[in-house]
Amino acid sequence: MTVTTTTTRAELNGNASAGPFQCGFRVLTKNDLQVYVAGVEKDVDVHYTVANAGTTTNATVTFTSGNFPASGTANVVLVRNVPNTQTTNYQNNTALDAETLETSFDKGTMQIQQLSSGTDRALKFGDTVTGVTASVTDISTGATSRANKIL
């Protein structure tokens, strides 16, 4: 398998049906996907199921009966969330399975992509701003003194 897209999230329109809703990206396990409807996180196997997890095909989400998302614009959000762990243990002096090795590389690539997605969506200083250090970017004042001010 390869990781051929940098997509880690999808914003989709609910249509009061089960779906399926296309993620546009692969997931290694059904638990590597977070699903939100109208900003509320849903539970796998309770509110929805995931098809194609662990395959070369992009994952799809189908909602279970009674959990169909209401019609709306971008009210269904699918986010790949791979744990930042490495659980494959390669043994010395044994055959190295190419598929297992490639899955490990895919997981690492997915972890890097979700970190990149997180920083891309964060508030940050532009590259041309000078005088910014870690001490400047720490928010250490209380909410009252920050009220009605720009970050």
Side-chain angles (χ1 to χ4, degrees), residues 27-56:
V27 295
L28 298 175
T29 74
K30 67 182 180 180
N31 296 316
D32 291 349
L33 188 64
Q34 290 176 308
V35 175
Y36 299 89
V37 176
V40 177
E41 186 172 6
K42 300 300 177 177
D43 296 319
V44 67
D45 296 329
V46 174
H47 301 108
Y48 66 92
T49 59
V50 178
N52 302 324
T55 71
T56 59

mmCIF file of all heavy atoms in Angstrom, residues 27-56:
data_model
loop_
_atom_site.group_PDB
_atom_site.id
_atom_site.type_symbol
_atom_site.label_atom_id
_atom_site.label_comp_id
_atom_site.label_asym_id
_atom_site.label_seq_id
_atom_site.Cartn_x
_atom_site.Cartn_y
_atom_site.Cartn_z
ATOM 1 N N VAL A 27 -7.505 4.606 6.065
ATOM 2 C CA VAL A 27 -7.251 4.426 7.494
ATOM 3 C C VAL A 27 -6.795 2.990 7.689
ATOM 4 O O VAL A 27 -7.205 2.090 6.954
ATOM 5 C CB VAL A 27 -8.486 4.739 8.373
ATOM 6 C CG1 VAL A 27 -8.853 6.205 8.286
ATOM 7 C CG2 VAL A 27 -9.661 3.864 8.033
ATOM 8 N N LEU A 28 -5.938 2.778 8.658
ATOM 9 C CA LEU A 28 -5.408 1.439 8.901
ATOM 10 C C LEU A 28 -6.367 0.585 9.719
ATOM 11 O O LEU A 28 -6.452 -0.624 9.527
ATOM 12 C CB LEU A 28 -4.042 1.530 9.581
ATOM 13 C CG LEU A 28 -2.972 2.243 8.753
ATOM 14 C CD1 LEU A 28 -1.680 2.387 9.556
ATOM 15 C CD2 LEU A 28 -2.710 1.511 7.443
ATOM 16 N N THR A 29 -7.072 1.209 10.665
ATOM 17 C CA THR A 29 -8.086 0.502 11.456
ATOM 18 C C THR A 29 -9.301 1.403 11.583
ATOM 19 O O THR A 29 -9.202 2.627 11.426
ATOM 20 C CB THR A 29 -7.600 0.138 12.878
ATOM 21 O OG1 THR A 29 -7.571 1.317 13.678
ATOM 22 C CG2 THR A 29 -6.235 -0.531 12.866
ATOM 23 N N LYS A 30 -10.444 0.817 11.902
ATOM 24 C CA LYS A 30 -11.669 1.611 12.067
ATOM 25 C C LYS A 30 -11.541 2.613 13.211
ATOM 26 O O LYS A 30 -12.208 3.638 13.221
ATOM 27 C CB LYS A 30 -12.878 0.698 12.280
ATOM 28 C CG LYS A 30 -12.851 -0.065 13.587
ATOM 29 C CD LYS A 30 -14.048 -0.982 13.726
ATOM 30 C CE LYS A 30 -13.997 -1.726 15.053
ATOM 31 N NZ LYS A 30 -15.156 -2.619 15.192
ATOM 32 N N ASN A 31 -10.660 2.338 14.161
ATOM 33 C CA ASN A 31 -10.465 3.235 15.299
ATOM 34 C C ASN A 31 -9.554 4.418 14.982
ATOM 35 O O ASN A 31 -9.362 5.290 15.835
ATOM 36 C CB ASN A 31 -9.926 2.454 16.499
ATOM 37 C CG ASN A 31 -10.924 1.422 16.977
ATOM 38 O OD1 ASN A 31 -12.106 1.700 17.093
ATOM 39 N ND2 ASN A 31 -10.456 0.210 17.233
ATOM 40 N N ASP A 32 -8.979 4.444 13.778
ATOM 41 C CA ASP A 32 -8.127 5.561 13.354
ATOM 42 C C ASP A 32 -8.937 6.691 12.735
ATOM 43 O O ASP A 32 -8.384 7.589 12.108
ATOM 44 C CB ASP A 32 -7.079 5.092 12.344
ATOM 45 C CG ASP A 32 -6.040 4.182 12.952
ATOM 46 O OD1 ASP A 32 -5.984 4.062 14.187
ATOM 47 O OD2 ASP A 32 -5.276 3.577 12.171
ATOM 48 N N LEU A 33 -10.252 6.651 12.907
ATOM 49 C CA LEU A 33 -11.124 7.651 12.312
ATOM 50 C C LEU A 33 -12.027 8.247 13.384
ATOM 51 O O LEU A 33 -12.629 7.521 14.175
ATOM 52 C CB LEU A 33 -11.985 6.998 11.215
ATOM 53 C CG LEU A 33 -12.817 7.929 10.352
ATOM 54 C CD1 LEU A 33 -11.923 8.855 9.528
ATOM 55 C CD2 LEU A 33 -13.710 7.116 9.427
ATOM 56 N N GLN A 34 -12.073 9.572 13.416
ATOM 57 C CA GLN A 34 -12.999 10.271 14.303
ATOM 58 C C GLN A 34 -14.094 10.860 13.426
ATOM 59 O O GLN A 34 -13.808 11.447 12.374
ATOM 60 C CB GLN A 34 -12.302 11.390 15.070
ATOM 61 C CG GLN A 34 -11.329 10.877 16.109
ATOM 62 C CD GLN A 34 -10.589 12.011 16.793
ATOM 63 O OE1 GLN A 34 -10.020 12.861 16.145
ATOM 64 N NE2 GLN A 34 -10.595 12.003 18.113
ATOM 65 N N VAL A 35 -15.335 10.698 13.869
ATOM 66 C CA VAL A 35 -16.486 11.177 13.110
ATOM 67 C C VAL A 35 -17.265 12.152 13.982
ATOM 68 O O VAL A 35 -17.591 11.844 15.134
ATOM 69 C CB VAL A 35 -17.382 9.992 12.675
ATOM 70 C CG1 VAL A 35 -18.643 10.488 11.989
ATOM 71 C CG2 VAL A 35 -16.607 9.055 11.761
ATOM 72 N N TYR A 36 -17.531 13.330 13.423
ATOM 73 C CA TYR A 36 -18.291 14.370 14.122
ATOM 74 C C TYR A 36 -19.520 14.724 13.292
ATOM 75 O O TYR A 36 -19.426 14.866 12.070
ATOM 76 C CB TYR A 36 -17.448 15.636 14.304
ATOM 77 C CG TYR A 36 -16.197 15.419 15.119
ATOM 78 C CD1 TYR A 36 -15.006 15.045 14.511
ATOM 79 C CD2 TYR A 36 -16.212 15.592 16.499
ATOM 80 C CE1 TYR A 36 -13.853 14.837 15.259
ATOM 81 C CE2 TYR A 36 -15.060 15.393 17.250
ATOM 82 C CZ TYR A 36 -13.893 15.017 16.620
ATOM 83 O OH TYR A 36 -12.761 14.810 17.358
ATOM 84 N N VAL A 37 -20.651 14.867 13.954
ATOM 85 C CA VAL A 37 -21.863 15.346 13.303
ATOM 86 C C VAL A 37 -22.325 16.565 14.092
ATOM 87 O O VAL A 37 -22.538 16.481 15.308
ATOM 88 C CB VAL A 37 -22.966 14.269 13.262
ATOM 89 C CG1 VAL A 37 -24.249 14.830 12.669
ATOM 90 C CG2 VAL A 37 -22.499 13.053 12.461
ATOM 91 N N ALA A 38 -22.407 17.691 13.395
ATOM 92 C CA ALA A 38 -22.780 18.962 14.018
ATOM 93 C C ALA A 38 -21.892 19.263 15.230
ATOM 94 O O ALA A 38 -22.346 19.741 16.258
ATOM 95 C CB ALA A 38 -24.259 18.963 14.400
ATOM 96 N N GLY A 39 -20.597 18.928 15.116
ATOM 97 C CA GLY A 39 -19.622 19.228 16.160
ATOM 98 C C GLY A 39 -19.566 18.245 17.305
ATOM 99 O O GLY A 39 -18.780 18.424 18.229
ATOM 100 N N VAL A 40 -20.369 17.182 17.260
ATOM 101 C CA VAL A 40 -20.398 16.191 18.336
ATOM 102 C C VAL A 40 -19.736 14.902 17.850
ATOM 103 O O VAL A 40 -20.131 14.352 16.816
ATOM 104 C CB VAL A 40 -21.856 15.897 18.777
ATOM 105 C CG1 VAL A 40 -21.890 14.820 19.849
ATOM 106 C CG2 VAL A 40 -22.524 17.180 19.271
ATOM 107 N N GLU A 41 -18.743 14.423 18.604
ATOM 108 C CA GLU A 41 -18.061 13.195 18.207
ATOM 109 C C GLU A 41 -18.986 11.993 18.381
ATOM 110 O O GLU A 41 -19.691 11.863 19.381
ATOM 111 C CB GLU A 41 -16.781 12.982 19.018
ATOM 112 C CG GLU A 41 -15.982 11.785 18.531
ATOM 113 C CD GLU A 41 -14.613 11.658 19.178
ATOM 114 O OE1 GLU A 41 -14.307 12.436 20.112
ATOM 115 O OE2 GLU A 41 -13.854 10.782 18.739
ATOM 116 N N LYS A 42 -18.975 11.112 17.388
ATOM 117 C CA LYS A 42 -19.797 9.904 17.398
ATOM 118 C C LYS A 42 -18.919 8.689 17.664
ATOM 119 O O LYS A 42 -17.703 8.733 17.516
ATOM 120 C CB LYS A 42 -20.541 9.756 16.062
ATOM 121 C CG LYS A 42 -21.462 10.928 15.758
ATOM 122 C CD LYS A 42 -22.516 11.085 16.821
ATOM 123 C CE LYS A 42 -23.409 12.285 16.599
ATOM 124 N NZ LYS A 42 -24.457 12.390 17.595
ATOM 125 N N ASP A 43 -19.546 7.582 18.058
ATOM 126 C CA ASP A 43 -18.826 6.363 18.427
ATOM 127 C C ASP A 43 -18.924 5.319 17.318
ATOM 128 O O ASP A 43 -20.026 5.024 16.832
ATOM 129 C CB ASP A 43 -19.393 5.773 19.723
ATOM 130 C CG ASP A 43 -19.188 6.695 20.907
ATOM 131 O OD1 ASP A 43 -18.107 7.296 21.016
ATOM 132 O OD2 ASP A 43 -20.127 6.816 21.724
ATOM 133 N N VAL A 44 -17.765 4.732 16.969
ATOM 134 C CA VAL A 44 -17.731 3.674 15.970
ATOM 135 C C VAL A 44 -18.505 2.469 16.486
ATOM 136 O O VAL A 44 -18.512 2.188 17.690
ATOM 137 C CB VAL A 44 -16.270 3.305 15.601
ATOM 138 C CG1 VAL A 44 -15.528 2.660 16.756
ATOM 139 C CG2 VAL A 44 -16.225 2.426 14.366
ATOM 140 N N ASP A 45 -19.173 1.785 15.594
ATOM 141 C CA ASP A 45 -19.996 0.605 15.859
ATOM 142 C C ASP A 45 -21.250 0.914 16.674
ATOM 143 O O ASP A 45 -22.049 0.024 16.919
ATOM 144 C CB ASP A 45 -19.202 -0.512 16.555
ATOM 145 C CG ASP A 45 -18.078 -1.046 15.682
ATOM 146 O OD1 ASP A 45 -18.225 -1.032 14.442
ATOM 147 O OD2 ASP A 45 -17.058 -1.461 16.244
ATOM 148 N N VAL A 46 -21.427 2.154 17.113
ATOM 149 C CA VAL A 46 -22.659 2.561 17.779
ATOM 150 C C VAL A 46 -23.432 3.492 16.847
ATOM 151 O O VAL A 46 -24.568 3.217 16.482
ATOM 152 C CB VAL A 46 -22.382 3.274 19.131
ATOM 153 C CG1 VAL A 46 -23.663 3.816 19.745
ATOM 154 C CG2 VAL A 46 -21.672 2.334 20.085
ATOM 155 N N HIS A 47 -22.783 4.595 16.441
ATOM 156 C CA HIS A 47 -23.414 5.580 15.569
ATOM 157 C C HIS A 47 -23.075 5.369 14.099
ATOM 158 O O HIS A 47 -23.820 5.826 13.233
ATOM 159 C CB HIS A 47 -22.991 6.996 15.977
ATOM 160 C CG HIS A 47 -23.352 7.335 17.388
ATOM 161 N ND1 HIS A 47 -22.415 7.439 18.376
ATOM 162 C CD2 HIS A 47 -24.552 7.572 17.969
ATOM 163 C CE1 HIS A 47 -23.015 7.742 19.518
ATOM 164 N NE2 HIS A 47 -24.318 7.818 19.297
ATOM 165 N N TYR A 48 -21.966 4.705 13.816
ATOM 166 C CA TYR A 48 -21.532 4.515 12.425
ATOM 167 C C TYR A 48 -20.627 3.294 12.329
ATOM 168 O O TYR A 48 -20.112 2.798 13.339
ATOM 169 C CB TYR A 48 -20.799 5.758 11.916
ATOM 170 C CG TYR A 48 -19.481 6.023 12.616
ATOM 171 C CD1 TYR A 48 -18.287 5.521 12.107
ATOM 172 C CD2 TYR A 48 -19.426 6.746 13.799
ATOM 173 C CE1 TYR A 48 -17.082 5.749 12.756
ATOM 174 C CE2 TYR A 48 -18.235 6.976 14.455
ATOM 175 C CZ TYR A 48 -17.066 6.476 13.927
ATOM 176 O OH TYR A 48 -15.877 6.689 14.570
ATOM 177 N N THR A 49 -20.435 2.837 11.099
ATOM 178 C CA THR A 49 -19.470 1.779 10.810
ATOM 179 C C THR A 49 -18.487 2.307 9.771
ATOM 180 O O THR A 49 -18.782 3.263 9.053
ATOM 181 C CB THR A 49 -20.158 0.505 10.276
ATOM 182 O OG1 THR A 49 -20.869 0.831 9.074
ATOM 183 C CG2 THR A 49 -21.112 -0.081 11.305
ATOM 184 N N VAL A 50 -17.323 1.682 9.711
ATOM 185 C CA VAL A 50 -16.278 2.077 8.765
ATOM 186 C C VAL A 50 -16.001 0.898 7.835
ATOM 187 O O VAL A 50 -15.741 -0.216 8.297
ATOM 188 C CB VAL A 50 -14.978 2.482 9.492
ATOM 189 C CG1 VAL A 50 -13.884 2.849 8.496
ATOM 190 C CG2 VAL A 50 -15.240 3.627 10.452
ATOM 191 N N ALA A 51 -16.056 1.156 6.546
ATOM 192 C CA ALA A 51 -15.711 0.142 5.550
ATOM 193 C C ALA A 51 -14.344 0.463 4.960
ATOM 194 O O ALA A 51 -13.936 1.622 4.919
ATOM 195 C CB ALA A 51 -16.758 0.106 4.435
ATOM 196 N N ASN A 52 -13.638 -0.548 4.524
ATOM 197 C CA ASN A 52 -12.337 -0.445 3.845
ATOM 198 C C ASN A 52 -11.178 -0.090 4.752
ATOM 199 O O ASN A 52 -10.102 0.251 4.259
ATOM 200 C CB ASN A 52 -12.390 0.538 2.669
ATOM 201 C CG ASN A 52 -13.433 0.163 1.657
ATOM 202 O OD1 ASN A 52 -13.668 -1.015 1.409
ATOM 203 N ND2 ASN A 52 -14.082 1.151 1.070
ATOM 204 N N ALA A 53 -11.335 -0.154 6.070
ATOM 205 C CA ALA A 53 -10.203 0.098 6.962
ATOM 206 C C ALA A 53 -9.157 -0.984 6.744
ATOM 207 O O ALA A 53 -9.488 -2.165 6.629
ATOM 208 C CB ALA A 53 -10.663 0.107 8.414
ATOM 209 N N GLY A 54 -7.905 -0.598 6.642
ATOM 210 C CA GLY A 54 -6.815 -1.545 6.464
ATOM 211 C C GLY A 54 -6.648 -2.050 5.043
ATOM 212 O O GLY A 54 -5.903 -2.988 4.807
ATOM 213 N N THR A 55 -7.323 -1.412 4.094
ATOM 214 C CA THR A 55 -7.194 -1.812 2.690
ATOM 215 C C THR A 55 -6.562 -0.678 1.901
ATOM 216 O O THR A 55 -6.277 0.394 2.437
ATOM 217 C CB THR A 55 -8.572 -2.144 2.078
ATOM 218 O OG1 THR A 55 -9.326 -0.929 1.927
ATOM 219 C CG2 THR A 55 -9.352 -3.133 2.934
ATOM 220 N N THR A 56 -6.384 -0.900 0.619
ATOM 221 C CA THR A 56 -5.822 0.140 -0.251
ATOM 222 C C THR A 56 -6.897 1.110 -0.733
ATOM 223 O O THR A 56 -6.589 2.078 -1.410
ATOM 224 C CB THR A 56 -5.134 -0.496 -1.476
ATOM 225 O OG1 THR A 56 -6.097 -1.264 -2.200
ATOM 226 C CG2 THR A 56 -3.978 -1.369 -1.061
#
